[in-house]
Amino acid sequence: MSSTRTSTPPTAAGSGASASAAFRAGRQGRGTVETSTERADSILRALLGAVHQVISDHEVTYPEFQAAKNWLMEVGEGGEWPLFLDVFVEHAVEEVASRSQQGTKGTIEGPYHLPGSKRLPAHCELPRRADEKGTPLSFTGQVRDVDGTPLPGAEVDIWHADADGYYSGFAPHLPEGNLRGLVVTDDEGRFSIRTIQPAPYRIPTDGPTGRMIAAAGWHPWRPAHLHVMVRAEGHRQLTTQLYFEGGEWVDDDVARATKPELILRPVADGGGGLVQRYDFVLERD
Ligand code: DHB
Ligand code: FE
């Protein structure tokens, strides 16, 4: 029974519905923003102007316009907007945010963060199944301020896909909280987390986003990555991802969210596993 369940991948509609629910239940203030009429006017004019320009430049036809309308409706009905926007648009917003950011580079959050992960001590193992597949990975480091001061009690909120590329909370066959944890740094701001190396992630291909990707002859892959949000009192929250040197899709991420500073080069631990040290540097609020 469990082997058939394990082999059932989540559907686009399933992942979309879970991602939409997670977004709506997310941090306070999501979904509304105070914007002046002047700013709304200029952004919306520019946005619609860009769409009109594409239509004009490419001489988009009525059948193409109606197909696009139908596709947009399906993305909404399938709950796929969080997936679509985080893959194809978030990197541009993050690039703007990162212009003013010092310390460790950030990158996109993506749709699969869940608040309220289990709090774990600084030196810990992420919750995993008894038979969790994948190369063991020991991920260690220190959280510091930009001036080098270690930050004890900082939160390293970490989540990643399993060795099949699926995230707990968004794939029905995975136990709740699997490969997720909120790790609190020790007196010296240090942490060491035992987990497994994730696999590359494929955005679901059975829904409208997948159809768009296929229609354009693109690929649906993201390189294997660890997601982290690092928080410390009085400091700007860091949201980032770490990738693995030489891994598939590292140089061709569908979400365009890799950065050279975020590529890990783990070393063998002599017992079949990998070790990686990576320090996080936060700027003051
Ligand atoms: C998506 C999934 C991810 O795991 C990620 O890191 C970014 C985007 C997505 O399917 O939208
Ligand atoms: Fe991800």
Side-chain angles (χ1 to χ4, degrees):
M1 179 64 191
S2 75
S3 66
T4 34
R5 286 196 7 247
T6 315
S7 63
T8 308
T11 59
S15 301
S18 313
S20 298
F23 176 79
R24 292 210 164 103
R27 290 191 297 282
Q28 238 192 338
R30 270 182 162 179
T32 56
V33 68
E34 290 298 324
T35 304
S36 70
T37 309
E38 292 72 25
R39 183 167 165 79
D41 173 59
S42 21
I43 292 174
L44 293 169
R45 252 178 220 278
L47 181 64
L48 290 170
V51 172
H52 303 156
Q53 194 64 50
V54 169
I55 291 169
S56 170
D57 289 351
H58 294 269
E59 302 191 322
V60 171
T61 64
Y62 259 100
E64 286 167 343
F65 172 59
Q66 304 298 12
K69 214 190 276 182
N70 187 49
W71 179 85
L72 287 160
M73 287 156 60
E74 286 180 11
V75 175
E77 285 154 10
E80 278 197 51
W81 279 121
L83 277 66
F84 181 90
L85 291 169
D86 291 356
V87 163
F88 292 107
V89 182
E90 187 182 355
H91 67 85
V93 182
E94 197 284 325
E95 193 276 319
V96 173
S98 75
R99 287 176 196 167
S100 67
Q101 193 186 11
Q102 296 173 314
T104 304
K105 295 276 179 209
T107 189
I108 67 170
E109 176 178 328
Y112 297 144
H113 176 255
L114 288 174
S117 276
K118 189 172 176 199
R119 277 182 96 79
L120 298 168
H123 307 280
C124 64
E125 177 171 302
L126 291 189
R128 59 160 101 162
R129 293 164 286 181
D131 58 351
E132 194 72 45
K133 289 192 300 173
T135 306
L137 172 69
S138 170
F139 178 58
T140 73
Q142 189 183 37
V143 181
R144 292 188 301 269
D145 186 281
V146 277
D147 69 8
T149 312
L151 297 171
E155 295 178 350
V156 179
D157 189 348
I158 177 167
W159 73 104
H160 64 82
D162 68 7
D164 293 320
Y166 298 125
Y167 285 87
S168 64
F170 300 89
H173 65 285
L174 295 178
E176 198 183 319
N178 207 55
L179 303 177
R180 295 174 181 270
L182 202 159
V183 182
V184 181
T185 61
D186 70 12
D187 292 349
E188 295 178 337
R190 293 184 198 281
F191 62 87
S192 63
I193 302 166
R194 275 172 295 130
T195 185
I196 55 100
Q197 192 175 24
Y201 168 81
R202 193 186 69 171
I203 64 179
T205 49
D206 63 321
T209 305
R211 284 212 314 281
M212 181 200 81
I213 291 170
W218 302 342
H219 75 74
W221 291 95
R222 297 213 60 222
H225 54 279
L226 304 174
H227 286 270
V228 270
M229 274 182 191
V230 188
R231 302 179 203 97
E233 184 100 2
H235 292 76
R236 176 169 170 176
Q237 174 176 296
L238 168 71
T239 300
T240 196
Q241 301 185 26
L242 299 167
Y243 306 91
F244 298 89
E245 184 177 52
E248 257 191 305
W249 314 109
V250 168
D251 300 319
D252 190 16
D253 178 6
V254 67
R256 296 211 230 158
T258 62
K259 298 185 184 183
E261 298 87 347
L262 302 177
I263 312 256
L264 303 176
R265 289 166 196 84
V267 293
D269 67 2
L274 297 168
V275 198
Q276 174 70 50
R277 178 171 173 166
Y278 196 90
D279 295 347
F280 296 104
V281 176
L282 302 187
E283 68 177 291
R284 293 222 179 85
D285 265 339

